Amino acid sequence: MTLKNSFGEYSFVSKVDVTNLEASVEWYKDKLGLVPESKYDTPNWRQFSIPDIGRFAIGLNLSNSVETGSAVSTFVVDNIVAARQNLIEKGVEVGPITDVGHGVQLSVFKDIDGNLLGLRQNP
């Protein structure tokens, strides 16, 4: 995987697990001034753009429990299959590709300290 500036709508999405999606949506909107991106709304996910910061988003993911430090920084790629294979060829253990709805595909991997990172391909 080579990071380049040709990703599309978003280059980077940071996932934050929350236990109450609607309350968290209001908090991120009201307290942080983030802008909801309704095209990505699902029963378990809400995504926000950040005013004046292009191609970067924060996504709220509904979870039954939330562990401190469970946020996942995600690189948005044009071709998740190729990006995943490139990481595997470099010796990185990468999880399977999962379709999470609306054509969005995800795959997660860890850095050398065990921090979760992700790959995401939008439809």
Side-chain angles (χ1 to χ4, degrees):
M1 178 179 88
T2 300
L3 297 177
K4 56 185 175 135
N5 195 14
S6 67
F7 296 107
E9 187 175 5
Y10 289 104
S11 297
F12 193 81
V13 178
S14 184
K15 176 182 87 72
V16 178
D17 287 335
V18 299
T19 56
N20 183 322
L21 189 57
E22 296 310 319
S24 294
V25 164
E26 292 306 312
W27 190 90
Y28 276 78
K29 243 179 15 180
D30 296 343
K31 305 293 185 195
L32 301 181
L34 302 184
V35 179
E37 298 286 335
S38 61
K39 86 182 223 183
Y40 294 107
D41 285 0
T42 72
N44 298 316
W45 179 265
R46 297 294 192 291
Q47 186 165 299
F48 296 87
S49 62
I50 302 170
D52 302 321
I53 300 178
R55 300 166 52 99
F56 180 88
I58 292 178
L60 303 181
N61 179 63
L62 182 62
S63 179
N64 291 330
S65 64
V66 175
E67 292 183 36
T68 302
S70 64
V72 177
S73 298
T74 304
F75 297 96
V76 181
V77 297
D78 291 329
N79 183 333
I80 195 170
V81 172
R84 181 179 179 274
Q85 184 59 38
N86 186 274
L87 288 171
I88 290 169
E89 289 171 4
K90 292 178 179 179
V92 178
E93 290 185 36
V94 186
I97 297 170
T98 306
D99 188 316
V100 295
H102 296 284
V104 175
Q105 296 181 343
L106 299 175
S107 179
V108 295
F109 58 99
K110 294 180 181 178
D111 70 7
I112 59 173
D113 292 307
N115 296 307
L116 282 177
L117 299 167
L119 298 173
R120 171 177 164 171
Q121 179 179 317
N122 293 327

